[in-house]
Amino acid sequence: MRKKIVGVIGGRECKGEVEQLAQDLGIKLAKVVDILVCGGLNGTMEAVSKGFKAGGGSTIGIIPGYNKKDANKFTDIVIPTGLGLARNVLVVKTADVVVALPGGAGTLSEIAYCLQFGIPVVSLQSWDIRGVIKIKTVDEAIKQIKLLLKENKL
Amino acid sequence: MRKKIVGVIGGRECKGEVEQLAQDLGIKLAKVVDILVCGGLNGTMEAVSKGFKAGGGSTIGIIPGYNKKDANKFTDIVIPTGLGLARNVLVVKTADVVVALPGGAGTLSEIAYCLQFGIPVVSLQSWDIRGVIKIKTVDEAIKQIKLLLKENKL
Amino acid sequence: MRKKIVGVIGGRECKGEVEQLAQDLGIKLAKVVDILVCGGLNGTMEAVSKGFKAGGGSTIGIIPGYNKKDANKFTDIVIPTGLGLARNVLVVKTADVVVALPGGAGTLSEIAYCLQFGIPVVSLQSWDIRGVIKIKTVDEAIKQIKLLLKENKL
Amino acid sequence: MRKKIVGVIGGRECKGEVEQLAQDLGIKLAKVVDILVCGGLNGTMEAVSKGFKAGGGSTIGIIPGYNKKDANKFTDIVIPTGLGLARNVLVVKTADVVVALPGGAGTLSEIAYCLQFGIPVVSLQSWDIRGVIKIKTVDEAIKQIKLLLKENKL
C-alpha cells in the first residue's frame, strides 16, 4: 500500500521560537506519518526535517535548483527540479495533507495551491486565509493531521 | 527597446459586473501598454483580452495545457506550456506590472508570486494581502499602472 | 486569425559559418512567417533572432532563468520561465514548425520533443535522427517550411 | 549519508523480451542501489519497478499528471508533477546514474538531458547516441552501474 506523505511549508528564515516549533512539529509528525515532503532548503524546511528524522521518519526535499548539495543534511531523497519557484506546486501536490508554518509570500503561494488542489492545509501560526484550518499549537496540529489522514482516501 | 508588458490575473469564471470590469480594464490598459499577458483561458482572461484587443493591443496567453485551441480567441500568441498550475509563475514573471481582478486560490497564488518576485501588483477589487496596491476603480488602476511603468526600469 | 510561429533551435555557441547560416536563415524565414520563437539566449539563438529582426519579423525568447536581461537584444518578447532546461519543451511546443541548426545535447532534447509532439522538424546540418527532415541549405529549408505551413492546420 | 539513486528510462509500451529485460534489470539493480527513480507509469516503467521491488528496493515515480493513481502499483513514492513532458528533466536529474532501455522520442529526450547534465547513461539495447555507454546484457549493465557509482561522488 502506498505510504502517506505529510507536507510542511514555511519561511526560509526561521529562528528561536519558530525554529523550535518546526523541530517539535517534525518530531511529533514522524509518529503519525512515514514520509515528510518539503522544499528541502534551510530555515523552516531544515528544522522540520531535522525533527522528522529525529522522530524516525524519512524525508523528501523538492528543491528549486539542480544541485543536490543545496538540500539540507536532513534530506534523504533530493528531487533537484531546476524549476525555481514553480517547484512549490510539486511540494504541496506530493503531500496528502499540509502543515503551514509562519512564512512569507512563498508560503502563501503554497497555501493557495493547496486550496486550489483541495489538499487540506493546517495553518500553525501561519497565514489566515479562507479555507485553511487555523491551529495554535503543535499538539492540536497533530490531532488535526491524524483526523485528516483517516478521512483522506489516497 | 524592449516593450512593456502588463499582466492581468483573475478568476476562471467571471460574469456580469466583473466581466464588464475586466473588459473595460483591457480597453483602457491598451492605451498605456503595448502587450498584455494572461493565462489565456476563459473568464477574466477572455474578457480582459477581448478589451485589450479592442483597445488596439497585442495579447499573449500562457496556458496550462498543450493544446493551442484551449486559448480564447482574443489571444495573438499562445504559449502552450503543458505545465498545469506551475504556469502561473510564468504569467506573472513575464509581466512588468500586474493587475489582479477578483478570483480564487489561483489568483491568490499569482499574487503571492508577484510579491515574492517584487513585481508590483494592483488589486482591483481582488485579494487584500499585505504588499498589494488596493484600488477600487479601473481609472485608478490605470493611473497606478502609468506611475509604476514610469518607475519600473525594465 | 492566429499567427504562425516558427521555432529555431541550435547550440549556445555558434561561430563563423554556422553563425552566418543562422543569420541568413533568420532573414529568409521572416519572409514566410511573422513570429520566431527560440531559447532567447546567445549563439545560434542570437544569430537567428538578429536575422529574423533584420528581415522584419517579431521574436519571442523563452529563457531558462528569471532575468529578462539574459535575453539577447534581438528579442522582442521575453518569457522568463525560471524552469531551467525544462523550458526546452515550451520553445518547441510554441512553434508550428521547427528548424534545427547544429547543436549538442540541448538541441537533441528539443528535436526529441518535436518528434514526441508530432511537430515537424527540419534538420539543417544538425542531428540525423529518424523522423527529422534532413536538409542541406537555407533555401531548401525555406522551401520545406513553406510546404509544412501550408499543410499545418493550426 | 545520502542514498544513491538509479534512474531507468524506456518506452511506455514494452512487451515480451523487453518486458523481461526490464524486470530482470530491476531485480539485479536492487542488489546494488537502494532507490530507483523512473517516470512512474506503465510499460518499461512498471516492469522495472516491479523487478526493483521484488529485489527489495524502494521506488520513486515522477509522473506527468496530477493524479497519484496514474502511477503503477510498484511505486512507493509518487511525485505528481502536473508538468507533462517537462517532468523528464526531473526523472534523470534525480538519478546519479541512468540506464536507458528501448524507447522512442521520450526516451531520447531523457538521454539528451543526461548528456547535457553530465549524468552517466548506460544504453541497454537503446538509442546509440555519442556519449552513452553501449551495453548488450543486463549483467554488463549492472557491472557498469557498480563502476559508475564507485566513481560518482554524490
Side-chain angles (χ1 to χ4, degrees), chain A residues 125-144:
Chain A
Q125 301 173 24
S126 185
W127 288 84
D128 180 14
I129 298 289
R130 191 184 48 223
V132 308
I133 303 160
K134 284 206 67 182
I135 287 290
K136 285 205 182 129
T137 68
V138 168
D139 289 340
E140 285 176 86
I142 298 296
K143 202 182 285 180
Q144 273 295 334

Side-chain angles (χ1 to χ4, degrees), chain B residues 10 12 29 37 48 56 61 72 81 83 88 95-97 103 105 108 110 117 128-129 132-133 143 148:
Chain B
R12 271 201 195 206
L29 275 176
V37 66
V48 75
N72 68 64
T81 66
L83 296 172
N88 292 3
D96 297 300
V97 287
L108 180 59
E110 292 173 315
F117 285 127
D128 181 13
I129 298 289
V132 308
I133 301 160
K143 201 183 287 181
L148 289 165

Side-chain angles (χ1 to χ4, degrees), chain B residues 3 5 34-41 45 49 52-53 57-64 67-81 87 91 94, chain C residues 1-6 33-38 52 57-62 75-79 90-91 93-96 154:
Chain B
K3 285 171 180 173
I5 301 178
D34 290 323
I35 302 174
L36 168 80
V37 66
C38 74
L41 300 179
M45 299 170 265
S49 298
F52 200 81
K53 289 292 294 173
S58 293
T59 54
I60 304 172
I62 300 183
I63 62 173
N67 195 342
K68 287 190 178 187
K69 288 177 182 159
D70 290 345
N72 68 64
K73 61 180 174 182
F74 305 104
T75 309
D76 295 314
I77 294 170
V78 184
I79 312 285
T81 66
R87 76 83 152 78
V91 172
T94 297
Chain C
M1 215 187 81
R2 193 149 301 145
K3 285 173 181 171
K4 302 281 174 149
I5 301 178
V6 65
V33 200
D34 289 325
I35 302 174
L36 167 81
V37 67
C38 73
F52 200 81
S58 293
T59 55
I60 304 172
I62 301 184
T75 308
D76 294 316
I77 294 170
V78 184
I79 312 286
L90 279 68
V91 172
K93 197 71 188 71
T94 297
D96 298 299
L154 198 54

Side-chain angles (χ1 to χ4, degrees), chain C residues 62-124:
Chain C
I62 301 184
I63 62 172
Y66 281 135
N67 194 343
K68 288 190 177 188
K69 288 179 184 159
D70 291 344
N72 68 65
K73 60 182 173 180
F74 306 103
T75 308
D76 294 316
I77 294 170
V78 184
I79 312 286
T81 66
L83 296 171
L85 301 185
R87 76 82 151 77
N88 291 3
V89 181
L90 279 68
V91 172
V92 305
K93 197 71 188 71
T94 297
D96 298 299
V97 288
V98 167
V99 182
L101 286 167
T107 304
L108 179 60
S109 76
E110 291 172 315
I111 290 173
Y113 277 127
C114 285
L115 298 173
Q116 205 168 359
F117 284 125
I119 299 167
V121 52
V122 174
S123 177
L124 180 54

